[in-house]
Amino acid sequence: MPATTFEYHVPTTVQEAISLLSQYGGEAKLLAGGHSLIPIMNLRLAQPKALIDLGKIPGLVGIREDGGTIVIGAMTTHWMIESSALLKEKVPILPEAAAVIGDVQVRNRGTIGGSLAHADPAGDFPGVAVALDMQLKAVGPKGERTLKAREFFVDILTTALQPDEILTEIRVPAFAARTGSAYEKFPNPASRYAIVGAAAVVTVDGNGVCQKAAIGLNGVTGKPVAAAGVEQALTGKRLNDQTIQEASAKAADGLEPLGDIFASAPYRAHLARVYTKRALARASGRV
Ligand SMILES: Cc1cc2nc3c(=O)[nH]c(=O)nc-3n(C[C@H](O)[C@H](O)[C@H](O)COP(=O)(O)OP(=O)(O)OC[C@H]3O[C@@H](n4cnc5c(N)ncnc54)[C@H](O)[C@@H]3O)c2cc1C
């Protein structure tokens, strides 16, 4: 089914895009890579009066280092992240996760900003965003603000962004010394979307004792979540098969997993434990 008709705007500044959003009073949608928005428009689950294409606004694409922080423009594609030498060195979990998104066509068009703003529970970057506790810069008519990933995701396809705000930039600290990370997902065999994904980042001290563990889970509940029980169980412990196994058993504690035609709620809880364990085992091996 084709999408309903809409007006199409191509602003060349963020401010112009914000004015257009305000003008349509919540009836317009921003267009990034279009790989989530266009399918839902064709299904008529979204029928915006206008599309505001972000593709011609300079400064929204790119990956750079600013002091110890990596800054990624919202319109940076999955492929740019997957192939970035800077990210492979400084925050390697991002290229690793980007490489398992959909297929080449999806990665060539889809953007990190679109993926985070869309907040699909089956998306890969939201879980990684929680593990990295990314800082997300939003710009709107009242100015700019920075949201932490753990407060950005609200529910299925819902974020803390206001309808007239644009996500412009993502900031992530470069990994500290003795840090390892890994992203593991159980993919839907047809779409490659994550049924469950687990992102793990661990930092140890000189004696191999875990100083910090961060686990982000996507696909388990309506929004990406931190596996707080696992993080607490590992902090202060030496990372080995036994401590990882014991901690991973807590991955679904306190969560109310989704159940659908792809995976029941108990199965998703099981996958959360298994994939957390796998991600932690690989992350600790990479420290
Ligand atoms: C066949 C197929 C397979 C896929 N498989 C996967 C997969 O395995 N894993 C995965 O994670 N994803 C997958 N995707 C989704 C893909 O990653 C999308 O690119 C992504 O979810 C959305 O990014 P986009 O740039 O295409 O955003 P768009 O589709 O253009 O926009 C998505 C939503 O975000 C809003 N938006 C976009 N940019 C901004 C911004 N800067 N500020 C505020 N709001 C914004 C839009 O208004 C819209 O509501 C798949 C898609 C397809 C078609």
Side-chain angles (χ1 to χ4, degrees), residues 177-180 202-213 233-241 243-244 280 283-287:
R178 294 187 294 270
T179 296
V202 291
T203 304
V204 302
D205 66 13
N207 299 315
V209 174
C210 180
Q211 298 295 292
K212 188 174 176 204
L234 283 177
T235 306
K237 300 249 173 67
R238 199 172 285 278
L239 296 179
N240 56 38
D241 288 352
T243 53
I244 288 174
L280 279 169
S284 66
R286 288 169 166 176
V287 164

Side-chain angles (χ1 to χ4, degrees), residues 28-40 54 60 74-75 78 100-103 106 109-120 122-126 161 165-168 185 191-194:
K29 281 270 178 200
L30 297 170
L31 176 68
H35 269 56
S36 292
L37 181 57
I38 302 298
I40 62 170
L54 297 176
L60 292 184
M75 287 292 283
H78 305 331
V100 295
I101 293 177
D103 53 29
V106 173
R109 295 290 308 174
T111 66
I112 187 166
S115 174
L116 298 173
H118 191 54
D120 188 334
D124 294 293
F125 278 143
L161 283 176
E165 280 184 316
I166 301 177
L167 175 61
T168 57
K185 79 164 164 177
S191 70
R192 314 307 295 168
Y193 272 102

Side-chain angles (χ1 to χ4, degrees), residues 56-76:
K56 296 279 187 251
I57 301 179
L60 292 184
V61 178
I63 304 163
R64 64 186 167 87
E65 191 169 6
D66 176 12
T69 301
I70 303 299
V71 185
I72 305 173
M75 287 292 283
T76 305

Side-chain angles (χ1 to χ4, degrees), residues 74-192:
M75 287 292 283
T76 305
T77 64
H78 305 331
W79 160 247
M80 290 170 188
I81 291 171
E82 177 185 355
S83 58
S84 162
L86 180 66
L87 287 178
K88 283 179 190 171
E89 186 191 336
K90 305 282 182 174
V91 194
I93 193 170
L94 279 169
E96 181 179 357
V100 295
I101 293 177
D103 53 29
V104 174
Q105 287 92 336
V106 173
R107 299 200 290 276
N108 193 41
R109 295 290 308 174
T111 66
I112 187 166
S115 174
L116 298 173
H118 191 54
D120 188 334
D124 294 293
F125 278 143
V128 179
V130 166
L132 294 174
D133 206 14
M134 286 176 173
Q135 301 212 324
L136 307 167
K137 184 166 138 188
V139 185
K142 293 182 191 147
E144 63 179 62
R145 63 188 180 127
T146 299
L147 296 150
K148 290 186 152 212
R150 293 185 184 205
E151 63 197 23
F152 180 79
F153 298 102
V154 175
D155 204 347
I156 296 178
L157 306 184
T158 309
T159 69
L161 283 176
Q162 294 300 312
D164 52 5
E165 280 184 316
I166 301 177
L167 175 61
T168 57
E169 192 175 276
I170 292 115
R171 297 178 79 89
V172 189
F175 279 181
R178 294 187 294 270
T179 296
S181 67
Y183 178 67
E184 288 274 352
K185 79 164 164 177
F186 181 67
N188 179 309
S191 70
R192 314 307 295 168

